[in-house]
Amino acid sequence: MGHRFPRAPAECAQAIRVLTGDMATRARVRAPELIGKGGWFNTGDQQYTLADLRGRIVILDFWTFCCVNCLHVLDELRELEEKHRDTVVIIGVHSPKFVHEAEHQAVVDAVERYEVHHPVLDDPELATWKQYAVRAWPTLVVIDPEGYVVAQHAGEGHAHAIEKLVEELEAEHGAKGTLRRGDGPYVAPEPVATHLRFPGKALPLPDGGFLVSDTTRHRLVELDADGETVRRHFGTGERGLNDGGPDEARFSEPQGLAVLPDGRIAVADTVNHAIRALDLSTGVTSTLAGTGRQWWQGTPTSGPAREVDLSSPWDVAWFGDRLWIAMAGVHQLWTYDPETRAVRVAAGTTNEGLVDGPAAEAWFAQPSGLAVSADGERLWVADSETSALRWVDRDEHVRTAVGAGLFDFGHRDGAASQALLQHPLGVTALPDGSVAISDTYNHALRRYDPASDEVTTLATDVREPSDAVLVDGDLVVVESARHRLTRIRLPEEAVRVADRAHRTRRAATEIAPGALRLDVVFQAPAGQKLDTRYGPSTRLLVSATPPELLAEGSGTGTDLGRDLVLADGAAEGVLHVSAMAASCDDDPANAYPACHVHQQDWGVPVRVTADGESRLGLVLAGMDEPA
């Protein structure tokens, strides 16, 4: 997702235009100061300015904790952060999309939940985001030891390029005497003793106990029927990808759990990009699918399960004759067939958004929760970034029950067409055919009834619920931010709440009525050229919410520029832009050069005004991951 601010500071905007070319051409533009009303985390209460960091290479990571791409970047930066810890200071600038993400305590929790081991500036009003003219989550900005911006990258997959730049800056400023080595400003918070720490999903066991993914501690925990007493742990508690017994296995932020036909438990091992299997009788964990590497555009989407890369699997469910996987990292649903031991894409295109239809044409946005309906005919999906409840039927057709798109969210009950959720992460099928929704950022448990096509609220003040399971007529809710399971009696009548409706906190880009020129700027990274061996090397897909916003210009084409026409009377909406380019290493002596695919999706909120802009420019930055 991305956004172009119409009135970015002129100096920084000029820097961005320069920096979209070869990184060797560096603009001498002073980095704007870091401003955040929420203050600093991971610094021992110390407040920092850029002047305090002079002499260090500073990498600003503009992120928000709802965004799976931002979580990918956190993981990408871990190795660079460790390798260059005496010269590089990474600063997370938390820039919220959802209302909940602007809450101070929510950011505190997210920093611990995702093991962010560098200082974080809480910027709830997007002040620093605007100063740096950031357009999309995530965005990385590199500042040299003298305090000048030297690079900016939107999206993920840039760690390799940034490390090369860091090495250049270390050599350059080491020779100049402007590089200062030493310990960074990071101060680790005090650990907290709890049985669970930000648990993700739960699974009821036949004997009345529970298996819970203890996400932040990288393990699985078996609890007694009281939901508190610990029976066993599976996993060492250290991040990693190892098979073996309870004291040998390693996970990395595990989430979803589901029972396989052979009795083993399938585990969505999210940050390992893998599906694991736990045998409760022996305590042994094995790997079913995934290589441990993250999937990138151009790599296989089907084949032997242990040979195909996955991307942030968040939940799993047995539906029909296969294990379905909510592949949050690429906005798709995949399946695993235990008979053939193969995986394949089952639904979604990798474009992020809300589009129904045949599974191969549907769009999702970080599907994060799965549940099979009581009659076995529907697979319910919590589509978190569109704040939507959706389902897949037996014919693999995708439909939406609740939700409007990427930028509309809130807490509103009533007719499903008008109801609003806020970043739900879990769904639970109920015996009467309805479905309970873990409405995570509303701290609520909601219910959708297909018979009445209405949404009600079952419970409030459940802190960031991420899942719920049905036990003896009660719902046992995973209160992730309270680190516990909470039993809730299903009420006779739904709880009544005041309606709240929100749109994304980002300012809309003001555009003129009528014709609008869209240009996506792409330059192949140094040493590469566009791959035209098999036809056009670029693709551009444009759509809008609502669809009536565009009179002309929606659809797919091969040019990275397009003339759009806004409908007469259009006032506001969101332009959805997805661009892709393919490049190969430019080495005439190499008959088999490595090739690369670069893709970025943007959702650009727009407002039509008489003095708005008639051109919208977006930058597709080159990635360094092989295809």
Side-chain angles (χ1 to χ4, degrees):
M1 295 176 296
H3 170 68
R4 180 173 182 270
F5 275 88
R7 295 186 177 87
E11 185 181 33
C12 196
Q14 176 63 28
I16 292 167
R17 284 194 289 272
V18 173
L19 293 168
T20 55
D22 191 329
M23 282 196 300
T25 305
R26 296 184 190 147
R28 298 292 289 174
V29 176
R30 181 69 67 182
E33 191 51 81
L34 305 179
I35 308 166
K37 188 176 180 180
W40 290 79
F41 306 129
N42 286 354
T43 62
D45 296 325
Q46 177 72 37
Q47 307 298 300
Y48 280 92
T49 66
L50 284 176
D52 298 326
L53 304 173
R54 197 64 48 79
R56 311 299 291 272
I57 301 165
V58 177
I59 300 174
L60 304 182
D61 175 17
F62 288 86
W63 70 298
T64 188
F65 62 79
C66 73
C67 166
V68 71
N69 309 92
C70 300
L71 304 185
H72 290 166
V73 168
L74 286 176
D75 199 51
E76 289 173 5
L77 292 175
R78 294 186 200 281
E79 183 176 348
L80 184 148
E81 191 169 27
E82 178 62 28
K83 184 176 179 180
H84 299 274
R85 63 189 308 170
D86 64 333
T87 60
V88 171
V89 174
I90 296 175
I91 294 175
V93 182
H94 189 267
S95 313
K97 170 188 172 181
F98 289 98
V99 170
H100 169 62
E101 293 176 301
E103 297 176 10
H104 181 80
Q105 185 58 47
V107 183
V108 172
D109 288 344
V111 169
E112 180 187 353
R113 180 195 300 267
Y114 297 114
E115 294 187 307
V116 181
H117 291 166
H118 50 250
V120 173
L121 175 65
D122 183 13
D123 184 18
E125 297 178 347
L126 303 180
T128 296
W129 167 289
K130 295 174 185 177
Q131 287 295 315
Y132 281 83
V134 175
R135 296 186 180 96
W137 293 287
T139 290
L140 297 171
V141 176
V142 182
I143 302 171
D144 73 12
E146 294 180 291
Y148 292 94
V149 175
V150 293
Q152 180 161 331
H153 293 283
E156 54 183 296
H158 303 297
H160 180 60
I162 289 177
E163 181 169 10
K164 288 182 178 178
L165 176 58
V166 164
E167 291 170 352
E168 292 176 12
L169 292 172
E170 287 176 338
E172 175 186 337
H173 289 273
K176 289 173 63 176
T178 50
L179 182 68
R180 176 167 57 91
R181 295 180 180 269
D183 293 334
Y186 171 67
V187 177
E190 290 294 323
V192 181
T194 54
H195 292 312
L196 302 170
R197 205 69 191 163
F198 297 104
K201 307 287 185 181
L203 183 72
L205 301 175
D207 65 358
F210 301 91
L211 185 68
V212 182
S213 53
D214 194 15
T215 304
T216 298
R217 290 187 176 145
H218 315 297
R219 62 185 182 179
L220 307 178
V221 177
E222 185 180 353
L223 301 175
D224 269 340
D226 61 8
E228 297 180 2
T229 305
V230 176
R231 294 175 178 171
R232 292 185 289 176
H233 297 130
F234 303 95
T236 66
E238 298 177 334
R239 189 187 295 271
L241 179 53
N242 289 350
D243 290 341
D247 298 324
E248 301 168 315
R250 289 192 179 188
F251 301 89
S252 188
E253 299 181 28
Q255 287 281 348
L257 307 166
V259 180
L260 294 167
D262 64 6
R264 292 184 297 168
I265 310 299
V267 183
D269 196 4
T270 304
V271 179
N272 276 328
H273 311 295
I275 302 299
R276 316 289 293 282
L278 169 64
D279 187 332
L280 282 174
S281 63
T282 64
V284 171
T285 296
S286 57
T287 300
L288 294 179
T291 62
R293 298 184 301 270
Q294 183 183 340
W295 183 91
W296 291 96
Q297 286 286 349
T299 55
T301 56
S302 64
R306 292 294 304 273
E307 299 175 16
V308 177
D309 300 339
L310 310 181
S311 183
S312 297
W314 211 276
D315 204 3
V316 284
W318 187 264
F319 178 53
D321 58 355
R322 289 168 289 161
L323 182 74
W324 285 66
I325 305 165
M327 204 71 76
V330 285
H331 318 299
Q332 292 180 314
L333 304 180
W334 289 38
T335 62
Y336 167 75
D337 184 343
E339 293 295 324
T340 62
R341 297 182 182 180
V343 293
R344 71 170 180 88
V345 173
T349 65
T350 75
N351 292 309
E352 184 179 17
L354 194 155
V355 176
D356 289 342
E361 301 172 10
W363 292 21
F364 294 91
Q366 288 180 218
S368 302
L370 301 175
V372 180
S373 62
D375 61 7
E377 294 300 315
R378 293 183 179 184
L379 178 68
W380 293 107
V381 182
D383 202 27
S384 62
E385 277 294 284
T386 54
S387 297
L389 171 66
R390 308 177 73 185
W391 85 85
V392 182
D393 62 23
R394 287 281 191 166
D395 295 326
E396 297 191 9
H397 197 99
V398 178
R399 294 179 173 84
T400 298
V402 183
L406 286 165
F407 301 98
D408 292 278
F409 53 89
H411 192 150
R412 180 192 290 156
D413 286 340
S417 61
Q418 300 298 314
L420 293 173
L421 311 170
Q422 188 180 181
H423 199 81
L425 290 178
V427 282
T428 308
L430 301 179
D432 64 356
S434 65
V435 57
I437 308 161
S438 295
D439 194 5
T440 310
Y441 287 4
N442 279 327
H443 309 300
L445 200 64
R446 314 284 292 282
R447 175 177 175 263
Y448 169 68
D449 184 358
S452 64
D453 198 32
E454 291 192 343
V455 175
T456 53
T457 298
L458 298 175
T460 58
D461 192 32
V462 281
R463 185 75 184 172
E464 290 193 18
S466 55
D467 194 21
V469 293
L470 190 66
V471 178
D472 298 328
D474 293 344
L475 279 172
V476 177
V477 182
V478 180
E479 276 199 276
S480 188
R482 285 197 176 114
H483 320 292
R484 68 187 188 190
L485 304 187
T486 300
R487 186 178 290 263
I488 294 176
R489 173 69 63 181
L490 290 177
E492 294 291 332
E493 295 184 1
V495 177
R496 296 187 181 276
V497 298
D499 288 352
R500 297 190 298 275
H502 308 289
R503 300 209 72 191
T504 177
R505 298 176 63 85
R506 294 181 296 165
T509 296
E510 294 182 354
I511 58 176
L516 175 67
R517 177 64 185 179
L518 171 66
D519 287 309
V520 176
V521 180
F522 174 75
Q523 181 175 341
Q528 297 179 29
K529 64 179 181 180
L530 287 175
D531 179 14
T532 57
R533 292 173 298 168
Y534 308 109
S537 60
T538 56
R539 185 190 70 182
L540 180 65
L541 190 154
V542 179
S543 63
T545 302
E548 297 77 18
L549 177 69
L550 285 179
E552 297 179 21
S554 61
T556 303
T558 57
D559 292 333
L560 290 182
R562 180 133 356 135
D563 291 315
L564 311 179
V565 177
L566 301 171
D568 291 341
E572 63 177 5
V574 179
L575 290 176
H576 303 285
V577 181
S578 178
M580 186 182 74
S583 64
C584 291
D585 291 348
D586 188 8
D587 182 2
N590 186 354
Y592 303 100
C595 293
H596 314 256
V597 176
H598 320 275
Q599 179 168 338
Q600 181 74 19
D601 297 332
W602 296 267
V604 185
V606 295
R607 182 167 52 250
V608 181
T609 62
D611 59 349
E613 300 184 27
S614 59
R615 178 184 177 274
L616 176 62
L618 301 171
V619 176
L620 174 61
M623 295 183 183
D624 292 319
E625 290 295 329

